[in-house]
Amino acid sequence: MIDLHSHILFGLDDGAGELDISIEMARIAVADGITHMACTPHVQEGIYPNDTRTIRPVLETLQQALLQHDIPLKLMCGAEAHLAWDLPEKLLSGEVPTVNDTRYLLLELPHLIVPQRLYEFVLRLKDAGFVPIIAHPERLAWIERRTDLLHEISVLGCPLQITADSLLGRFGAVAQEQANRLIETGLHLLVASDAHSPRSRAPRMSSAMKLVSSRWGEMAARRLFIEVPQMILADELLPDVRKSDMIRRRHPVSGNRVDKFFTFLRAGH
Ligand SMILES: [Fe+2]
């Protein structure tokens, strides 16, 4: 599995505090079947003043330590950038890193209030050449009221990142239900750990992948935990979502419509 959202880097945010904790988290991730991990510390003005210059040296230190400890986890640079109007400029200047130096950045939205002019902001990011991955929309307090807004953004080619623990109910019934609903939309989605520690929020995704596989099929699970993250790391554009809407309408009563959608995409449409 590929994990594109983690707070494994030590001393930068509310994730790992020390190098030993980061190493322990990496061990857990590898034992769970995670092979690649994007390190995405919070970047938020006044709260988490991180930038590429603070993030990269910690990543290099940790990657070196993992080599020394024989822990086969490939780390990649990234950030969980909080919504900020000057973000496009900071991405263009390289001050804020994208995921693995691709066009994709992990974007954190305000949890309690619907951000004003969000759609316009996403268009500005896209005009600057970047594509936001929306971090854990299922956990936003306003998702039930404004699911339409997230759908509109996803249709622009922006993937939505569901947290593995949300699928398992560890963020409550509402987040679990919203995560399930998102999977059934056929929008561009991926699952990540958003790991913060070796204990309560550990870098594990295999239980969630098994659950998705049993409920929506193995192809859907592979898509969410491996293939979409792979496409992002390779800086590939995701296919036009509107085609998925078309195929969903064509199979409105199918019990396995997500797999049909993925089959459709694999056929090269
Ligand atoms: Fe996070």
Side-chain angles (χ1 to χ4, degrees), residues 5-7 40 42 80 106 108 135-136 139 194-196 201:
H5 184 167
S6 77
H7 301 268
T40 55
H42 291 288
E80 183 178 9
L106 187 62
E108 183 182 43
H136 40 64
R139 286 159 48 198
D194 193 8
H196 279 68
R201 293 178 70 183

Side-chain angles (χ1 to χ4, degrees), residues 134-146:
I134 307 298
H136 40 64
E138 81 283 359
R139 286 159 48 198
L140 299 172
W142 47 270
I143 185 177
E144 282 179 297
R145 280 179 287 133
R146 292 306 311 272

Side-chain angles (χ1 to χ4, degrees), residues 91-197:
L91 290 162
L92 281 169
S93 70
E95 186 178 334
V96 174
T98 57
V99 175
N100 199 32
D101 294 324
T102 63
R103 76 191 76 203
Y104 294 95
L105 70 134
L106 187 62
L107 180 67
E108 183 182 43
L109 302 178
H111 278 244
L112 298 177
I113 49 165
V114 183
Q116 296 293 312
R117 295 158 69 198
L118 177 61
Y119 191 81
E120 187 187 339
F121 176 74
V122 171
L123 290 179
R124 279 187 60 224
L125 276 174
K126 292 205 76 181
D127 282 349
F130 300 102
V131 178
I133 302 166
I134 307 298
H136 40 64
E138 81 283 359
R139 286 159 48 198
L140 299 172
W142 47 270
I143 185 177
E144 282 179 297
R145 280 179 287 133
R146 292 306 311 272
T147 307
D148 60 315
L149 182 57
L150 292 167
H151 283 221
E152 283 168 16
I153 290 169
S154 183
V155 167
L156 293 173
C158 308
L160 309 177
Q161 175 259 304
I162 295 170
T163 303
D165 278 354
S166 295
L167 289 162
L168 301 174
R170 291 181 184 151
F171 285 100
V174 173
Q176 187 176 31
E177 187 191 331
Q178 292 297 329
N180 291 342
R181 278 193 191 172
L182 284 170
I183 290 180
E184 305 216 336
T185 60
L187 295 171
H188 289 310
L189 303 169
L190 64 141
V191 176
S193 76
D194 193 8
H196 279 68
S197 75

